[in-house]
């Protein structure tokens, strides 16, 4: 979850749809309450304006509430993202291709022409290698000793 909220499509959808829902809900409430108030005060109110107006006010209130809840969730997500520790950026050094070529030229192939004198530890390692018979994970594999 190292993804930034500003790059998240879900976050932007939540924010935009919450604002749209709150806006439409507020518009429905303001329009219907204004119409009902003026017609009731004039005495020209009909059943449609009063009863349908009340239903539209309830729908508007639901949309306004959903929009406000969505905005609160978006604010909470932003706060939580701000509290989460971010991973430290990894510093990558540029590759110096000339030094790598020199290092490859400097490596000499290993030969068995001049064996080193064996110590008691080396003899024990050779005995262990012979018992493992080249199995995976053997000392011979780890130390690049040929397995018999």
């Amino acid at each position: 979850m190292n993804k930034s909220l500003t790059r998240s499509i879900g976050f932007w959808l939540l924010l935009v749809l919450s604002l749209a829902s709150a806006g439409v809900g507020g518009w429905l409430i303001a329009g219907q309450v204004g119409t009902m108030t003026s017609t009731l005060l004039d005495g020209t109110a009909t059943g449609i304006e009063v009863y349908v107006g009340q239903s539209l006010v309830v729908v508007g209130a639901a949309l306004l509430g959903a929009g406000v809840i969505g905005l609160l969730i978006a604010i909470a997500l932003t706060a939580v993202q701000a509290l989460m520790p971010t991973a430290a950026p990894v510093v990558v050094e540029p590759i110096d291709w000339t030094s790598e070529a020199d290092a490859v030229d400097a490596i000499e192939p290993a030969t068995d022409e001049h064996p080193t004198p064996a110590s008691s530890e080396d003899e024990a390692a050779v005995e262990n290698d012979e018992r493992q018979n080249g199995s995976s994970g053997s000392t011979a594999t780890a130390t690049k000793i040929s397995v018999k």
Side-chain angles (χ1 to χ4, degrees), residues 65-136:
V68 169
I69 289 173
L71 289 174
L72 291 175
I73 290 172
I75 291 169
L77 284 173
T78 306
V80 168
Q81 182 70 25
L83 293 176
M84 298 285 291
T86 58
V90 178
V91 178
V92 179
E93 297 178 9
I95 298 173
D96 185 12
W97 294 101
T98 58
S99 66
E100 186 176 320
D102 294 340
V104 170
D105 293 338
I107 297 175
E108 296 178 14
T111 60
D112 236 3
E113 294 175 9
H114 305 290
T116 58
S119 66
S120 62
E121 292 176 1
D122 291 337
E123 290 174 4
V126 170
E127 290 175 9
N128 287 338
D129 288 343
E130 289 176 0
R131 281 184 279 156
Q132 291 183 359
N133 292 328
S135 65
S136 166

Side-chain angles (χ1 to χ4, degrees), residues 19-36:
L19 286 172
S21 176
V24 169
W27 175 73
L28 275 174
I29 290 172
Q32 291 305 315
V33 168
T35 302
M36 285 189 329

Side-chain angles (χ1 to χ4, degrees), residues 9 11 31 35 46 58 65 85 89 93-94 101 108 144 146-147:
I9 293 172
F11 174 76
T35 302
T46 63
V58 170
E93 297 178 9
E108 296 178 14
K144 296 183 182 177
S146 63
V147 179

